Amino acid sequence: LSSGGVLIAHLTSATVTGSLKLQLSGKDLKNMDGMGLLRKSDPFFALMVLNDETGNWDAKYRSATVKNELDPEWEECSVDLVELCGGKLDQRLRVVVFDEDDKKKMNLINMRPEQNEVMGYAETSVNQLLGGGTLTMLLRGKDHGHVVINTAELVDYSDPKENVSKVMEAAGKIESTKIAAAEAEAALERAKESLEAKKTALEEAQAAAEEAELTLQSAQEAAFSAKEACDVVAGLFFELGLGEER
């Protein structure tokens, strides 16, 4: 924690690790100490979470006090995420600004937004804080100034559930890749078989063409031999005077 801050510890079970680094400042906060001619409020802020069992808002962190200032610049703080919100980044939080009373120091454990020392509050969450911006402080439905989120970031954050989800997602992608690879390999084998079949058919067609060519050549040779035989017979007929010379 930063110097001057107080962390209120509550035992809880969570697997998330990490912390929220936060630096806030107030702007135009409403003075709770009269008209402000002689004295201004002494603001500090608290991060509070709704207790589902009691219905109260329990303080999880309290900042140091900035004396006599309506535009305070609070010191940067670091709050454990488990202590703050049980590691749930969307858990409802309240940023409550109090006016510290020197005569009556507040009991941090029993701080309640309904106390008279409240200068204003705004509901948010860790995720919303991470988005930066400005929070409007409300009190009894009226605008009581603003709190500016100057710094809000997670430090050493790790959520095992998210890690498991990422691992499962990666495993799913690996399995999908394996299936796709197996299907591609099967398709390649089918293509090889088809190519082999076409190659065999082509070889058979070439063999049939060669055989047909040989048959044609044989037929041509037989026709030529027959013609020669006819010519010989015709010549004999002519020599015997049985026919005319061709």
Side-chain angles (χ1 to χ4, degrees):
L1 290 179
S2 59
S3 176
V6 178
L7 179 67
I8 301 116
H10 296 269
L11 294 178
T12 182
S13 59
T15 55
V16 173
T17 59
S19 60
L20 171 67
K21 183 166 73 173
L22 188 67
Q23 197 276 309
L24 305 177
S25 60
K27 182 176 178 59
D28 299 328
L29 299 177
K30 297 298 182 182
N31 192 14
M32 306 299 286
D33 291 337
M35 298 299 294
L37 296 177
L38 299 176
R39 192 173 188 281
K40 298 177 182 178
S41 295
D42 305 321
F44 68 88
F45 75 87
L47 301 178
M48 310 186 80
V49 177
L50 181 64
N51 188 319
D52 293 330
E53 296 181 359
T54 65
N56 294 324
W57 288 86
D58 295 339
K60 299 294 184 177
Y61 173 81
R62 180 207 148 136
S63 74
T65 300
V66 178
K67 293 290 186 178
N68 197 37
E69 181 61 70
L70 297 180
D71 296 307
E73 188 85 13
W74 290 293
E75 294 180 356
E76 184 179 278
C77 64
S78 178
V79 186
D80 185 88
L81 288 172
V82 174
E83 295 294 342
L84 177 61
C85 57
K88 301 175 183 177
L89 303 187
D90 290 317
Q91 171 74 43
R92 287 173 59 199
L93 303 175
R94 272 188 180 180
V95 176
V96 186
V97 178
F98 290 88
D99 179 14
E100 184 175 79
D101 189 342
D102 290 334
K103 296 180 181 179
K104 182 182 177 182
K105 295 291 185 181
M106 294 182 193
N107 185 330
L108 298 183
I109 301 299
N110 297 319
M111 276 196 304
R112 295 289 177 263
E114 296 79 10
Q115 293 174 313
N116 293 331
E117 294 86 351
V118 173
M119 298 176 67
Y121 68 88
E123 290 198 11
T124 184
S125 68
V126 171
N127 269 334
Q128 289 176 335
L129 289 172
L130 294 174
T134 300
L135 302 174
T136 299
M137 295 290 106
L138 298 176
L139 187 64
R140 302 181 185 91
K142 295 182 179 181
D143 187 333
H144 267 236
H146 302 84
V147 167
V148 181
I149 305 167
N150 298 311
T151 301
E153 60 184 67
L154 299 179
V155 178
D156 297 329
Y157 173 72
S158 176
D159 185 349
K161 291 182 180 179
E162 290 186 3
N163 294 340
V164 170
S165 177
K166 290 179 181 178
V167 170
M168 294 298 293
E169 182 180 356
K173 290 181 178 179
I174 292 174
E175 188 63 26
S176 298
T177 302
K178 287 183 178 180
I179 293 173
E183 291 176 349
E185 186 176 356
L188 179 61
E189 287 298 322
R190 290 193 296 271
K192 286 181 177 180
E193 291 175 358
S194 176
L195 180 61
E196 193 65 30
K198 290 179 180 179
K199 183 180 178 181
T200 300
L202 179 60
E203 291 175 350
E204 291 176 349
Q206 288 177 338
E210 291 174 356
E211 184 176 354
E213 186 177 357
L214 292 175
T215 301
L216 178 61
Q217 290 178 355
S218 298
Q220 289 175 341
E221 291 175 356
F224 183 76
S225 298
K227 183 177 180 299
E228 288 183 339
C230 289
D231 289 341
V232 171
V233 171
L236 291 175
F237 278 139
F238 179 75
E239 290 177 0
L240 297 174
L242 296 178
E244 297 180 355
E245 185 179 1
R246 299 177 61 185

